[in-house]
Amino acid sequence: MRRAFIAGNWKMNLEKGSAVELAKALVDGTRNITDRDVLICPSFPLLPIVNDIVSGSNVWLGAQNMYYEKKGAFTGEVSADMLKSVGCEWVILGHSERRHVFHEDDSLINKKVKSAIEQGLKPILCVGELLEERESGKTEEVVKRQVVEGLKEVSPEDTAKIIIAYEPVWAIGTGKTATPEDADSIHSFIRDILRDLYNSKVSENMRILYGGSVKPENIDSLMAKDNIDGALVGGASLKADSFLRIINANIQS
Ligand code: PGA
C-alpha cells in the first residue's frame, strides 16, 4: 500500500506575512495526521522562515527547483546543499513552468534529478503533455520520453527516493482537470514504463501524484483511483481552508 502524499506548490506567490500565517495554519490543521505525507514548497526566500514554523510538525518542506552543480559561478541558482541547510527534504524538478517558460529540457532535468539524489534531496519529477500534444494523440509518447529521460541512470534502489507527478499542462491553473479516469490511465501507463525500465516492485512502489487544477471539489474522486497516490496542488494550496480540505481527502484503503 503506497502512502498518500499531498504537496502544495506555492509557485511565485505569498510574501513573508501571509506565508507565515499559512504555514502556521497548516501545522495546526495537520497535528493529528498520521496516514499521509504533507509537503509545502514555498519560494526560495521564504524557506528559512517557513522551516522555523514547520520543523518538528507533520508538514515537510520542499523547494520548487534547484541547480545540479554543487557550487560556483552560477548566478541566480541554488544548490541541493543550500536547500538542505534550510530544512528542505524534497525538491520539485521538471515542473511544466520550468520546462515551458524557462526552456528546461529532459537532459537538464535528469542532471538535476541525479544531483538531488546524490546530495540527499528527494525529487518530485513532473511530467505532462501540452494541449496540442494531447490533441494530436502524443500524450503517451511525451510522457514516456519525459519519464525515461528524467530517470536515466537512476538506479532501481534510488527510485524509492523519487515521486512522479503527472501534470497535464493544459490542466494547470486553467480550472480544467483531467477526469479521474484519464489521469488514472496515464498513471497506469507510467507504471508500465517503470516496469519495463526497472521491475514490477519499482512500478508498484512508486508514488504517482496528479496535478492540474486540483481542488477541494475534485480531490476525493481523484484519490479514489487505484493509481493516483496523491496530488501536487498549485492555486488551491495558497489558502489554508482549501489546502486542509485537500489534505484531508478520503483515502480508499
Ligand atoms: P494548479 O497548479 O493546481 O494551480 O493547477 C498545479 C501545479 O502547477 O503544480
Side-chain angles (χ1 to χ4, degrees), residues 5 15 21 72 100 112 129 164 184-185 199 206-207 226:
F5 194 104
E15 294 144 40
E21 211 177 295
H100 301 295
K112 294 184 179 196
E129 80 285 4
I164 293 177
D184 191 59
S185 92
N199 53 50
M206 178 65 74
R207 288 188 282 183
D226 283 352

Side-chain angles (χ1 to χ4, degrees), residues 11 95-97 167-176 210-213 234:
K11 308 192 180 183
H95 188 276
S96 65
E97 286 143 23
E167 301 201 302
V169 182
W170 48 271
I172 295 179
T174 58
K176 290 184 198 146
Y210 170 77
S213 296

Side-chain angles (χ1 to χ4, degrees), residues 6-23:
I6 306 287
N9 173 9
W10 291 3
K11 308 192 180 183
M12 200 172 74
N13 293 298
L14 304 180
E15 294 144 40
K16 202 166 149 186
S18 42
V20 165
E21 211 177 295
L22 176 55

Side-chain angles (χ1 to χ4, degrees), residues 113-125:
V113 167
K114 288 186 291 188
S115 163
I117 293 172
E118 264 164 38
Q119 293 173 73
L121 266 185
K122 293 179 240 170
I124 298 179
L125 171 64

Side-chain angles (χ1 to χ4, degrees), residues 36-248:
R36 59 200 73 189
D37 290 318
V38 177
L39 169 73
I40 51 176
C41 300
S43 59
F44 292 141
L46 297 172
L47 289 170
I49 189 158
V50 173
N51 183 40
D52 287 346
I53 297 165
V54 302
S55 78
S57 78
N58 286 327
V59 180
W60 294 104
L61 189 66
Q64 300 171 17
N65 185 29
M66 56 163 255
Y67 196 52
Y68 65 84
E69 293 283 0
K70 289 195 173 128
K71 61 177 185 169
F74 303 104
T75 302
E77 296 295 328
V78 303
S79 71
D81 271 347
M82 291 171 187
L83 295 176
K84 279 191 337 191
S85 75
V86 292
C88 289
E89 296 273 343
W90 296 89
V91 60
I92 298 173
L93 295 175
H95 188 276
S96 65
E97 286 143 23
R98 300 301 317 172
R99 291 179 190 265
H100 301 295
V101 183
F102 299 99
H103 310 294
E104 292 193 7
D105 62 14
D106 288 315
S107 138
L108 175 61
I109 293 161
N110 175 247
K111 286 188 179 133
K112 294 184 179 196
V113 167
K114 288 186 291 188
S115 163
I117 293 172
E118 264 164 38
Q119 293 173 73
L121 266 185
K122 293 179 240 170
I124 298 179
L125 171 64
C126 300
V127 300
E129 80 285 4
L130 296 163
L131 182 60
E132 55 267 35
E133 292 167 335
R134 167 157 289 236
E135 285 175 342
S136 56
K138 293 206 172 108
T139 299
E140 296 198 344
E141 183 189 317
V142 169
V143 168
K144 181 169 184 180
R145 192 199 70 231
Q146 292 175 343
V147 171
V148 171
E149 296 297 317
L151 295 178
K152 212 169 186 167
E153 294 163 7
V154 173
S155 71
E157 297 70 43
D158 282 342
T159 61
K161 299 167 190 154
I162 297 181
I163 283 183
I164 293 177
Y166 169 59
E167 301 201 302
V169 182
W170 48 271
I172 295 179
T174 58
K176 290 184 198 146
T177 330
T179 64
E181 291 69 30
D182 282 346
D184 191 59
S185 92
I186 300 296
H187 285 215
S188 154
F189 173 67
I190 294 172
R191 290 198 199 286
D192 293 342
I193 301 169
L194 295 171
R195 196 171 299 111
D196 289 348
L197 274 182
Y198 297 99
N199 53 50
S200 45
K201 189 163 159 239
V202 169
S203 161
E204 277 154 30
N205 289 346
M206 178 65 74
R207 288 188 282 183
I208 307 180
L209 316 182
Y210 170 77
S213 296
V214 173
K215 304 183 272 278
E217 296 75 35
N218 57 26
I219 185 68
D220 291 334
S221 54
L222 288 162
M223 292 302 286
K225 293 291 174 195
D226 283 352
N227 289 298
I228 301 182
D229 305 312
L232 179 53
V233 187
S237 73
L238 297 172
K239 292 249 159 50
D241 54 353
S242 64
F243 195 46
L244 284 168
R245 169 63 189 89
I246 293 170
I247 289 169
N248 283 300

